[in-house]
Amino acid sequence: MPRRLISSGSSFEKSIGYSRAVVDGDWVFVSGTTGFDYATMTISDDVVAQCEQAFRNIEAALKQAGSGFQDVVRVHYLLTNGADFERCWPAMGKALGHVRPAATAMIVGLVDARMKIEIEVTALKRKAQAAPKKKARQAKRKK
């Protein structure tokens, strides 16, 4: 399967030279994603609103890749202020609480002073599993 590049339409991608996500086989690598609303190129001052918008941006990229939050296996949270981490937990839990991927959180400086959080995820698309009835029939045949 050829490598596929996914764009959000953000002006940053073309200017800087990167993709919102890259699909390589069953893997989906989503770039560090901030709370910018790419339709308006605006960003909230509130870290929780930024976190929620970042997850909406990530969800859109995953969807374009034929994936979703259920496939996320790793997440990196980059925050400019450690005190903001706990404030973002509800948004993080809403997006990934049912999946519980491996996670790392770091306190860093981001490239734009308006950015308070950046989130990067890696997903592994899973093969469709056989329906429960089909599995039961297959088990009976083996007996």
Side-chain angles (χ1 to χ4, degrees):
M1 176 183 286
R3 186 171 112 147
R4 186 163 57 105
L5 307 179
I6 294 177
S7 175
S8 67
S10 163
S11 60
F12 297 133
E13 294 167 27
K14 187 174 182 178
S15 299
I16 299 169
Y18 73 97
S19 296
R20 171 61 41 220
V22 174
V23 180
D24 194 341
D26 290 332
W27 289 98
V28 182
F29 303 93
V30 181
S31 293
T33 304
T34 64
F36 269 94
D37 178 334
Y38 298 126
T40 61
M41 287 310 292
T42 59
I43 191 167
S44 171
D45 289 334
D46 179 64
V47 68
V48 175
Q50 286 189 27
C51 184
E52 292 167 342
Q53 181 63 50
F55 276 120
R56 285 191 291 276
N57 296 339
I58 290 166
E59 184 175 36
L62 289 170
K63 185 176 180 181
Q64 286 183 60
S67 187
F69 286 133
Q70 74 278 1
D71 295 322
V72 173
V73 295
R74 173 169 284 291
V75 60
H76 291 133
Y77 298 109
L78 310 170
L79 296 106
T80 58
N81 182 346
D84 288 337
F85 187 53
E86 191 170 347
R87 291 185 53 219
C88 292
W89 288 359
M92 294 168 176
K94 181 178 178 185
L96 297 172
H98 63 290
V99 182
R100 296 180 55 196
T104 300
M106 295 173 269
I107 308 308
V108 301
L110 295 175
V111 298
D112 184 322
R114 297 173 293 174
M115 298 173 181
K116 297 179 180 185
I117 187 168
E118 186 168 338
I119 304 168
E120 173 190 30
V121 303
T122 302
L124 177 60
K125 295 190 283 185
R126 288 162 178 63
K127 306 284 188 249
Q129 294 183 358
K133 287 182 182 179
K134 186 175 179 181
K135 283 184 181 180
R137 282 189 301 235
Q138 289 172 343
K140 278 186 178 180
R141 285 186 209 147
K142 289 181 180 180
K143 287 184 182 181

